[in-house]
C-alpha cells in the first residue's frame, strides 16, 4: 500500500532543493499554484512549464517519480479535460453532434487545463518528495504564528500534526497486523460485492479505533508525567534556519511573476 | 534520614461505586538512594500506586509526600519535576517524531533554553548508549531501544526519582536485560531513587527492598532474600518463583536436603558444588 503511494512521501537527498528552508518551499509551492491561474496563452504556459522542469531537474530526483505522482489522478484530469473540450463553445467549430461539439476554444481550454493540473501536481510532488514531513509541520507552525492573536490554537495544531505524523507508520503496522489476524480467522478482505467488502472492513476498523483510543490515553498520561502543561512557557528544540538561498528563491518567484505578467495577454 | 516518598493511608477507587478499592489504606516510606520493587499479580494495584505518587490519579483518602512537597494542586508540577516515569508500552509513550525530539520533549515543557537542551540531549543519549540513533524515527527502533530513549528523556530532566511502571513487561528477555542494566548504571551515576513496579522476579531481585501487593493492600515487605524465601507461597500470590528457588524445590522433591534460606544464582552454584564435594 505504502510503496505505490507517491503522495506525501519523502525521498532523502542532498540537492539544492532538499537543503532549502521548508518555509521557503511551502510558500513558494503555494505561490506557484496561485500564479498558474494567471497564465492564459501558449507562451505563458511554455514559460511556466520550462520553469517547473528546471526545478525538477534541480532536485536530482528521477523524473519517473513525478509521473507516478500524476498517475493516480490521471482519470480525474482526463475527465475534466474531456468536459472542457466537448462543452466549450466559441471560435471555429470543427465537429458537432447534438450537445457535443469540438471547437477551437474548447481544444485550447482543454490543453491549458491539462497543463495546469500536471504543473500543480509536479510542483506539489516536488515539495513533498524533498521535504521531511516533520520539517513541513514545523514550517506550517511558523507560518500560522501570525494567526495566534486571532485565537487560532497554533501550538495545539502543530502538536497534533507532529503526533499524527509520528504515529502514521505505527498505525500502518498495526493495521497490517490486525488485517492478518482477522484473515487468519477467516475474514476475506477485498472479496465479494460492495456491501460485502464494506462489511469485511468492520473487523479491521473497530479494533483499530479502540486501540487508537488506548494509545491516546497512554500517550496523554506519558506526556503529563513528563510535565506537559500546554504551549505556554515552552521552549523549542527544533529550529529552522533561513539562509541566503531561501531569500533568492523568493526573489526568483517575484521575477517569475513579473515575466508572466508581461507575456500573458 | 527523611523519606523521599511517603504515602500515608492511601485509598483510591476508580469508580465511586467500586466495592473493592484499587488501593486500600496503603502506607509506605521510600528513602533516598533506595531501589524498591513493588510486586504483585495483575490487578493488585501496583500501577495505580505509581500513578498516585506523581498525581496522575488523585487519591480518595490519605496523603502523598514527595521530598519537601505534599501532593496538592499547587505542588503538582514541582512533584512531577522530581519524579520521572517510564511506562509499559514503548510505542505509546514516544511523543517526539525522532529520538532527539523525544528526549527534548520534557525539557521543552520546562522551558529550558535551547543551547542547554542540545548538550543535555546528547549527554542523556550517551548515558543510555543511543547517541548513534539521535535522528532515527521510532518506527525504526526495537522495543528495548525505545524504552532506553524513554529513560534518556527522563535522565535529561535530572529528576531525583525514577518510577518504572512495568517498563520491561513488553520487552523480550534481551531488551529487558538491556533496560535493567541501563537503569542500574544510571542509578549509580546519578544517585537516584528507583521505584520499579514489576511482574518480573529477576528485576525485583535487583532491589534493596521488595514490597508485595495483593488486592490493593501491601501485605509484605522485606529484602528480596526474605520475600523469595517464602517459596511456594509466592506462587499462591500469583507470582513466579526465581530460578534458584525452582531448582531448590525440584531438588527437595527428589529427596535432596536443600538449605532453607534464599540463595541467589551464585549462592546456589556455590552450595551445589560444595555439596557435591562433601559426598
Amino acid at each position: 500500500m505504502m510503496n505505490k503511494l507517491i503522495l506525501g512521501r519523502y525521498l532523502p537527498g542532498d540537492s539544492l532543493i532538499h537543503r532549502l528552508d521548508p518555509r521557503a518551499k511551502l510558500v513558494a509551492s503555494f505561490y506557484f499554484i496561485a500564479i498558474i491561474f494567471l497564465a492564459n496563452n501558449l507562451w505563458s504556459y511554455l514559460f511556466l512549464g520550462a520553469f517547473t522542469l528546471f526545478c525538477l531537474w534541480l532536485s536530482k530526483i528521477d523524473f519517473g517519480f513525478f509521473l507516478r505522482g500524476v498517475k493516480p489522478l490521471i482519470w480525474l484530469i482526463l475527465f475534466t479535460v474531456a468536459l472542457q473540450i466537448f462543452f466549450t463553445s466559441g471560435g471555429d467549430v470543427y465537429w458537432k453532434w447534438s450537445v457535443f461539439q469540438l471547437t477551437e476554444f474548447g481544444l485550447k481550454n482543454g490543453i491549458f487545463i491539462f497543463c495546469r493540473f500536471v504543473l500543480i501536481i509536479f510542483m506539489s510532488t516536488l515539495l513533498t518528495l524533498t521535504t521531511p514531513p516533520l520539517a513541513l509541520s514545523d514550517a506550517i507552525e511558523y507560518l500560522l504564528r501570525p494567526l495566534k492573536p486571532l485565537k487560532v490554537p497554533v501550538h495545539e495544531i502543530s502538536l497534533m500534526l507532529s503526533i499524527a505524523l509520528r504515529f502514521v507508520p505505527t498505525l500502518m503496522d498495526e493495521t497490517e497486523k490486525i488485517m492478518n489476524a482477522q484473515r487468519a480467522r477467516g475474514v476475506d478482505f477485498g472479496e465479494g460485492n460492495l456491501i460485502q467488502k464494506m462489511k469485511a472492513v468492520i473487523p479491521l476498523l473497530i479494533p483499530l479505533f479502540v486501540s487508537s483510543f488506548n494509545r491516546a490515553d497512554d500517550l496523554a498520561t506519558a506526556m503529563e508525567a513528563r510535565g506537559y502543561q500546554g504551549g505556554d512557557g515552552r521552549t523549542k528544540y527544533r529550529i529552522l534556519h533561513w539562509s541566503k538561498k531561501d531569500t533568492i528563491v523568493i526573489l526568483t518567484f517575484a521575477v517569475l511573476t513579473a515575466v508572466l505578467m508581461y507575456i500573458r495577454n | 534520614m527523611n523519606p523521599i516518598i511517603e504515602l500515608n493511608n492511601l485509598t483510591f477507587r476508580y469508580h465511586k461505586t467500586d466495592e473493592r478499592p484499587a488501593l486500600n489504606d496503603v502506607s509506605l516510606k521510600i528513602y533516598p538512594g533506595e531501589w524498591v520493587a513493588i510486586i504483585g499479580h495483575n490487578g493488585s494495584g501496583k500501577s495505580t500506586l505509581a500513578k498516585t505518587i506523581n498525581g496522575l490519579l488523585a487519591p480518595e483518602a490519605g496523603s502523598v509526600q514527595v521530598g519537601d512537597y505534599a501532593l496538592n494542586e499547587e505542588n503538582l508540577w514541582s512533584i512531577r519535576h522530581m519524579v520521572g516515569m517510564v511506562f509499559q508500552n514503548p510505542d505509546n509513550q514516544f511523543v517526539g517524531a525522532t529520538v532527539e525530539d523525544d528526549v527534548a520533549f520534557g525539557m521543552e515543557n520546562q522551558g529550558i533554553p535551547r543551547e542547554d537542551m542540545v548538550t543535555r540531549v546528547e549527554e542523556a543519549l550517551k548515558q543510555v548508549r543511543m547517541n548513534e540513533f539521535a535522528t532515527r524515527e521510532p518506527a525504526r527502533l526495537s522495543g528495548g531501544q525505545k524504552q532506553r530513549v524513554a529513560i534518556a528523556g527522563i535522565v535529561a530532566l535530572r529528576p531525583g526519582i525514577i518510577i518504572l511502571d512495568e517498563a520491561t513487561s513488553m520487552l523480550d528477555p534481551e531488551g529487558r536485560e538491556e533496560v535493567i542494566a541501563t537503569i542500574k548504571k544510571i542509578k549509580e551515576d546519578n544517585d537516584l531513587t528507583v521505584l520499579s513496579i514489576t511482574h518480573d522476579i529477576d528485576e525485583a531481585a535487583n532491589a534493596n527492598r521488595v514490597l508485595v501487593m495483593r488486592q490493593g493492600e501491601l501485605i509484605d515487605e522485606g529484602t528480596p532474600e526474605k520475600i523469595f524465601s517464602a517459596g511456594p507461597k509466592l506462587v499462591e500470590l500469583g507470582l513466579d518463583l526465581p530460578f534458584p528457588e525452582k531448582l531448590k524445590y525440584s531438588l527437595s522433591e527428589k529427596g535432596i536436603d536443600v538449605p532453607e534460606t534464599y540463595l541467589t544464582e551464585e549462592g546456589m552454584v556455590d552450595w551445589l558444588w560444595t555439596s557435591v564435594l562433601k559426598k
Side-chain angles (χ1 to χ4, degrees), chain B residues 113-157:
Chain B
R114 185 173 184 276
E115 304 83 69
D116 288 355
M117 278 201 267
V118 176
T119 50
R120 274 160 78 165
V121 165
E122 206 183 295
E123 267 173 33
L125 284 176
K126 221 172 249 165
Q127 276 194 303
V128 300
R129 287 170 293 112
M130 286 292 290
N131 41 337
E132 282 165 35
F133 299 87
T135 54
R136 288 275 186 97
E137 288 122 47
R140 292 166 60 204
L141 299 176
S142 73
Q145 287 175 330
K146 276 181 240 181
Q147 288 301 61
R148 270 153 59 198
V149 173
I151 295 168
I154 279 155
V155 169
L157 289 172

Side-chain angles (χ1 to χ4, degrees), chain A residues 134 159 163 166-167 169-170 214-215 218-219 221-229 233-239, chain B residues 56 77 80 87 91-98 100-102 104-106 108-109 111-112 114 117 121 139:
Chain A
L134 203 63
L159 184 77
I163 288 178
R166 171 252 170 280
F167 273 98
T170 312
N214 291 335
R215 265 182 211 285
D218 280 359
L219 186 71
T221 310
M223 283 169 69
E224 222 182 305
R226 284 164 75 181
Y228 178 73
Q229 302 177 62
R234 279 188 107 229
T235 43
K236 278 192 74 80
Y237 177 71
R238 195 170 265 289
I239 46 166
Chain B
L56 289 168
W77 297 101
R80 285 187 187 162
F87 295 91
D91 250 323
N92 294 1
Q93 57 179 316
F94 206 111
V95 188
T98 64
E100 50 180 356
D101 286 305
D102 192 62
F105 178 76
E108 290 179 327
N109 292 336
I112 290 165
R114 185 173 184 276
M117 278 201 267
V121 165

Side-chain angles (χ1 to χ4, degrees), chain A residues 155-176:
Chain A
H155 164 74
E156 281 77 7
I157 292 175
S158 82
L159 184 77
M160 281 196 295
L161 204 62
S162 75
I163 288 178
L165 287 171
R166 171 252 170 280
F167 273 98
V168 166
T170 312
L171 290 179
M172 282 282 202
D173 276 356
E174 180 151 355
T175 311
E176 193 76 39

Side-chain angles (χ1 to χ4, degrees), chain B residues 196-229:
Chain B
S196 89
I197 285 152
T198 183
H199 280 295
D200 186 37
I201 286 300
D202 298 322
E203 197 179 322
N206 279 306
N208 306 115
R209 195 146 61 96
V210 179
L211 309 174
V212 186
M213 288 194 75
R214 187 177 59 185
Q215 302 201 329
E217 291 175 44
L218 271 182
I219 54 163
D220 202 0
E221 73 163 280
T223 57
E225 288 79 12
K226 184 198 156 220
I227 298 292
F228 295 153
S229 62

Side-chain angles (χ1 to χ4, degrees), chain B residues 31-218:
Chain B
Y31 295 92
E34 261 193 311
W35 180 319
V36 176
I38 301 183
I39 57 174
H41 58 80
N42 283 335
S44 61
K46 306 181 303 276
S47 296
T48 314
L49 186 68
K51 283 180 185 160
T52 48
I53 290 175
N54 70 351
L56 289 168
L57 296 173
E60 185 181 293
S63 67
V64 179
Q65 170 105 15
V66 180
D68 299 330
Y69 302 104
L71 180 68
N72 55 33
E73 287 274 316
E74 222 172 285
N75 293 338
L76 183 65
W77 297 101
S78 317
I79 288 180
R80 285 187 187 162
H81 282 192
M82 292 176 59
V83 183
M85 252 178 123
V86 181
F87 295 91
Q88 181 174 25
N89 189 319
D91 250 323
N92 294 1
Q93 57 179 316
F94 206 111
V95 188
T98 64
V99 167
E100 50 180 356
D101 286 305
D102 192 62
V103 176
F105 178 76
M107 290 190 280
E108 290 179 327
N109 292 336
Q110 296 190 5
I112 290 165
R114 185 173 184 276
E115 304 83 69
D116 288 355
M117 278 201 267
V118 176
T119 50
R120 274 160 78 165
V121 165
E122 206 183 295
E123 267 173 33
L125 284 176
K126 221 172 249 165
Q127 276 194 303
V128 300
R129 287 170 293 112
M130 286 292 290
N131 41 337
E132 282 165 35
F133 299 87
T135 54
R136 288 275 186 97
E137 288 122 47
R140 292 166 60 204
L141 299 176
S142 73
Q145 287 175 330
K146 276 181 240 181
Q147 288 301 61
R148 270 153 59 198
V149 173
I151 295 168
I154 279 155
V155 169
L157 289 172
R158 303 185 180 151
I161 307 161
I162 289 190
I163 300 180
L164 306 169
D165 185 0
E166 302 194 30
T168 57
S169 66
M170 288 179 77
L171 304 179
D172 56 10
E174 207 175 300
R176 191 174 295 180
E177 258 170 49
E178 232 174 41
V179 168
I180 293 176
T182 309
I183 296 267
K184 250 187 185 168
K185 190 175 155 286
I186 284 168
K187 183 191 176 301
E188 297 310 316
D189 291 352
N190 305 337
D191 200 24
L192 295 171
T193 309
V194 175
L195 179 60
S196 89
I197 285 152
T198 183
H199 280 295
D200 186 37
I201 286 300
D202 298 322
E203 197 179 322
N206 279 306
N208 306 115
R209 195 146 61 96
V210 179
L211 309 174
V212 186
M213 288 194 75
R214 187 177 59 185
Q215 302 201 329
E217 291 175 44
L218 271 182

Side-chain angles (χ1 to χ4, degrees), chain A residues 128-241:
Chain A
T128 54
L129 282 181
T130 58
T131 321
L134 203 63
L136 269 184
S137 87
D138 285 341
I140 292 170
E141 180 183 6
Y142 184 88
L143 296 171
L144 284 180
R145 227 190 284 178
L147 297 179
K148 222 172 180 179
L150 301 174
K151 300 237 154 66
V152 176
V154 175
H155 164 74
E156 281 77 7
I157 292 175
S158 82
L159 184 77
M160 281 196 295
L161 204 62
S162 75
I163 288 178
L165 287 171
R166 171 252 170 280
F167 273 98
V168 166
T170 312
L171 290 179
M172 282 282 202
D173 276 356
E174 180 151 355
T175 311
E176 193 76 39
K177 244 184 243 165
I178 296 174
M179 257 176 128
N180 286 337
Q182 300 292 29
R183 273 195 195 114
R185 306 153 117 207
V187 176
D188 230 342
F189 293 103
E191 286 284 311
N193 61 31
L194 195 65
I195 291 172
Q196 282 167 329
K197 264 187 200 166
M198 272 157 64
K199 273 190 179 156
V201 174
I202 292 171
L204 172 66
L205 273 189
I206 290 180
L208 202 58
F209 266 109
V210 172
S211 96
S212 301
F213 280 123
N214 291 335
R215 265 182 211 285
D217 198 29
D218 280 359
L219 186 71
T221 310
M223 283 169 69
E224 222 182 305
R226 284 164 75 181
Y228 178 73
Q229 302 177 62
D232 297 330
R234 279 188 107 229
T235 43
K236 278 192 74 80
Y237 177 71
R238 195 170 265 289
I239 46 166
L240 299 167
H241 295 281

